Structures are given as C-alpha cells and as structure tokens.
Amino acid sequence: MDTAPTAHPLPTTTPASDNRRRVATAAALASAVEWYDYFVFGIAAALVLGDLYFPAGSPTAGVLAAFATFAVGFLARPLGGIVAGQLGDKRGRKPMLVLALTLMGVATTGIGLLPTYDTIGVAAPILLVAFRVMQGIAVGAQWGGAMLMATEYAPEGKRGIYGSFVQLGVPIGVVTANTVFLLAGASLTDSAFAAWGWRVPFLVGLFVLVLAWYIHTRVEETPEFREAEKKLAEQEKAEQASPLRTILRGHLGTVLLAGGSFAVNTATFYIIITGVLDYTTRELGMKKSAVLTVSLCVSLTQLVLIPAAAALSDRVGRIRIYALGAAGIALWAVPLFLLIDTGSLLWLAVATFVASCFLSIMYGPQAALFAELFTPEMRYTGASLGYQIAAVCGGGLAPFVMVLLLEATGTSMAVSGYIIVLALIALASIKVLADRARSR
C-alpha cells in the first residue's frame, strides 16, 4: 500500500547565512542556464528546425516533426530523474547537479554546431534527436539536484521561498532565450537567420559549463543529505535499499499523484511558449518578433509572481495555493484561446499574462511541496520522478497535441478542452494529497 511520508524535519545545525545565499544563488543560476538551453530548442522548433532538419512534406508536417523531436527530450527526462535520483540519494545532490549541467552544455553546443539535412542528409535529424535526448536526460537530472540544494539549505519556515529560487530558472530561461532570439532576428536578415543566426542562441548555452565548474569547486553538499548519509553509513551495504525500489514498492501512488497534479502546469506552459508561437505566426499571420516580445514580457512578470506565491505558501500552506492555481488554469482555458484567436497583440498579451499568473501560483510552491512528500533518503528520486512524469504526460506532448487538435478539429477550443481535462486531473490529485496530509 502506498503511503505519503511526512516532511522530513530540518537539521538542527544551521548553515551560515553567506553559504546559504551562495547555495541558493548557485541553484537558481543552475536552473536558469539549464532551462535556457532547454527552451532555445522549443523556440527554434517553432521557427526554423522543421524546414532545416525535416524538409519533406508540408509545413505542418515539418512543424509536427520538429515538435515530436521537442517531445523526445521530455521522454528522456524520467531517465535522467531516475539515474540522478538514485545516485543523488546515495552520493549527494551536488555531484549530480554538476553532471547534469555538463551534459546539457555538451548537448546544446552540439545542436548549435550540427549540420542541416541538406548537408549530411538523414544523419542530421538522427543526431538532432540524439542531442535532444541528452538535453532531456540533463534537465531531468538537474531539477531535483537544484531544488534540493535550495530547499535543504532553507531556514525553518522558508522552504517555499527558497524552493522558488530554483523555479525562477524557468522564467529567467524563457526571458533569456526569447531575448537572444529577438536580438538575432533583429540584427540579421531572414535568410541569414535561417542560415546561421539561429545557431547563436545554442552556442551561448556553452556558458553552462562554467557554472558547473563553479558549483563543483565552491558549493558544499546540503546538510540534510549529510544527515541522511550518516544514517546510510550505519547500515550494512547488503541491507541498504535502492531509493528507486523503495519508491516503487511503498510510494508509487504519491509519485503518480504528484505527476498528475502538475501535468496541467507543464502542458499549459509549453502550449503558451511554443505552441502559441507556432499557431500565431503560422495560422494567424502575426509577426514572430512581436509574439516573442509578448512572451518575454509575460515571463518577466513571473519573476515576481513565483516567489510571491511561494512565500504565501510558507504562511498559509502549499496545497491551498497550489490548488488555487490549478483551478484558475481550468477556468481560464477557454478565454485564453478566445482572446488569442482575435489576432490582436494586445489580447494575446492579456490572455497569456492571466494564464501565466495561474501557472506561477502553482509553480511557486511546487518545489517545496514535492520535496516534503518524501524523506531525504528517497527525496531526490521521488520528487524527480513526480516532476518528470508530469513533464512527459503534460509538457512534452502538449505542442504536438495542440497541432494535431487544431488540424483535426479546425478550432482552438479543442486545445482549451485538453487543458481543462488536465486541470481536472490535477485538482483530483491535489485533493487526494490533501486528504492524506490531513489523515497524517
């Protein structure tokens, strides 16, 4: 039978405040650069990768192929979460975070240097998929390490706000990726951008390797893991249970509920930043620079909303804030696309801004909420699996499903229906988690 463990108490030894700030900053930067590297692929998939790496067939077929490659990265994320979770729960949070950053830097740089289909033929899309798989493994490994570096260093009563520092990596990554693409597009002709300009954002991602070196040399392991490590050292090796085996045997239901609660957030997020970019430029005839600017501005507002929601969760409870965000997404799903379909840049901004508010309300407390579902000995594995299941079922497939629904039905209301279904699943999952918390 599945049981949801209570939150593990904070260690009695409090790390120095300067070290705490250094760790929180490093975790936030790690998250930001990883998500930047991950998001540039999504933007490029919506703008150029279909023509360059999947040239056969109609424009829609090329976009579907590019988004399918985008989704492959999500399918690889649970593998990264499982491997890094196993090692991170036994060997430490920091080594896995450094490894994830290094892998992401190599993969993103590889995409930036990859020849196109016209140059090397079918090897081009095959290598593109391989690099995307590496990106997926890296981001699957990264989130748990960065999140735990922040939350396990948090002072008492501030785990939500410290966890939100890592969550800020998402809007920072979106803002940076959109900014780099906007600058590249503004300074180059369309032909130059398609020929080589799109590669620049990928090559910028090489700086992730510098951050990996910094964390390796300057950041200490978390105090909660050190406490857990002492307990593990007292056991005989033969008696030490695999964190993954422990999760699958006793806590699989908690992992699935965590994933079910968050899939709507990742799906709606990727629909907004990649699916809507393709839809508004290809179907509604809007300028890509204008749509990217709207996405950039909306993401900037999340830099305030995410920590505000996390801080509020430290005061009134994680589940309450988390559920509010999920309910808001369900209610806004239909107005979201009614406004986008007007083809007005102003209404596009309003539609995506309101949606991002509800996404931020969920995303702010999510890191601390997932961390508190599991004890330190299995926390990296359990929290990562829950997050990555949501990423696969929600985010990875969302832009692909959106294009399919638009082609099959001819109406964006089908996409709204898709979001609503995921939101209802989230609310049901949240209710079960809340009931379990009350019963404990």
Side-chain angles (χ1 to χ4, degrees), residues 24-81:
T25 301
L29 287 173
S31 178
V33 297
E34 283 267 316
W35 286 117
Y36 166 83
D37 284 3
Y38 201 68
F39 290 147
V40 292
F41 191 100
I43 297 173
L47 296 178
V48 296
L49 294 186
D51 293 334
L52 295 175
Y53 291 93
F54 307 96
S58 67
T60 300
V63 171
L64 281 171
F67 279 158
T69 306
F70 178 70
V72 165
F74 286 82
L75 296 176
R77 282 170 61 169
L79 176 60

Side-chain angles (χ1 to χ4, degrees), residues 149-419:
M149 290 291 288
T151 58
E152 291 185 347
Y153 260 103
E156 187 174 359
K158 293 186 177 181
R159 187 171 269 176
I161 188 65
Y162 268 68
S164 74
F165 296 155
V166 174
Q167 307 297 71
L168 286 176
V170 170
I172 292 172
V174 172
V175 168
T176 310
N178 281 337
T179 299
V180 174
F181 266 101
L182 279 169
L183 291 174
S187 58
L188 299 170
T189 63
D190 289 345
S191 59
F193 179 81
W196 60 270
W198 67 271
R199 297 180 182 276
V200 175
F202 287 92
L203 298 178
V204 170
L206 186 61
F207 288 107
V208 70
L209 298 176
V210 177
L211 181 60
W213 174 84
Y214 175 82
I215 292 175
H216 175 68
T217 57
R218 298 294 302 276
V219 175
E220 298 178 3
E221 189 54 81
T222 72
E224 286 203 35
F225 174 77
R226 290 198 296 267
E227 291 293 323
E229 191 175 34
K230 291 177 183 178
K231 294 179 182 178
L232 290 172
E234 294 171 357
Q235 303 174 18
E236 293 293 332
K237 285 188 177 181
E239 296 177 355
Q240 290 182 9
S242 159
L244 178 61
R245 188 180 300 116
T246 302
I247 288 290
L248 295 179
R249 286 180 176 178
H251 312 288
L252 180 59
T254 301
V255 170
L256 294 176
L257 287 169
S261 74
F262 196 61
V264 66
N265 190 288
T266 57
T268 307
F269 175 76
Y270 284 103
I271 283 172
I272 289 174
I273 69 163
T274 58
V276 168
L277 176 58
D278 168 64
Y279 177 61
T280 53
T281 55
R282 187 166 56 89
E283 299 290 341
L284 302 182
M286 301 177 72
K287 292 183 178 180
K288 66 180 180 182
S289 59
V291 177
L292 283 172
T293 301
V294 168
S295 179
L296 187 153
C297 293
V298 167
S299 296
L300 284 172
T301 65
Q302 292 185 306
L303 297 177
V304 176
L305 295 170
I306 287 174
L312 187 60
S313 78
D314 282 330
R315 298 171 64 91
V316 304
R318 317 243 186 264
I319 289 288
R320 189 174 299 175
I321 302 301
Y322 196 63
L324 177 63
I329 293 171
L331 295 173
W332 189 246
V334 170
L336 171 66
F337 276 96
L338 289 177
L339 294 175
I340 291 173
D341 285 343
T342 64
S344 163
L345 199 62
L346 173 62
W347 288 122
L348 170 67
V350 171
T352 53
F353 168 71
V354 175
S356 75
C357 288
F358 292 123
L359 293 177
S360 300
I361 289 170
M362 280 193 79
Y363 201 57
Q366 183 254 345
L369 174 64
F370 278 30
E372 290 168 353
L373 292 173
F374 306 96
T375 54
E377 301 83 25
M378 67 183 80
R379 183 173 288 158
Y380 202 137
T381 303
S384 292
L385 273 179
Y387 187 94
Q388 304 312 333
I389 286 172
V392 172
C393 298
L397 296 176
F400 186 83
V401 170
M402 177 178 172
V403 174
L404 286 180
L405 289 173
L406 290 170
E407 287 294 311
T409 65
T411 173
S412 61
M413 289 300 98
V415 185
S416 297
Y418 170 58
I419 293 173

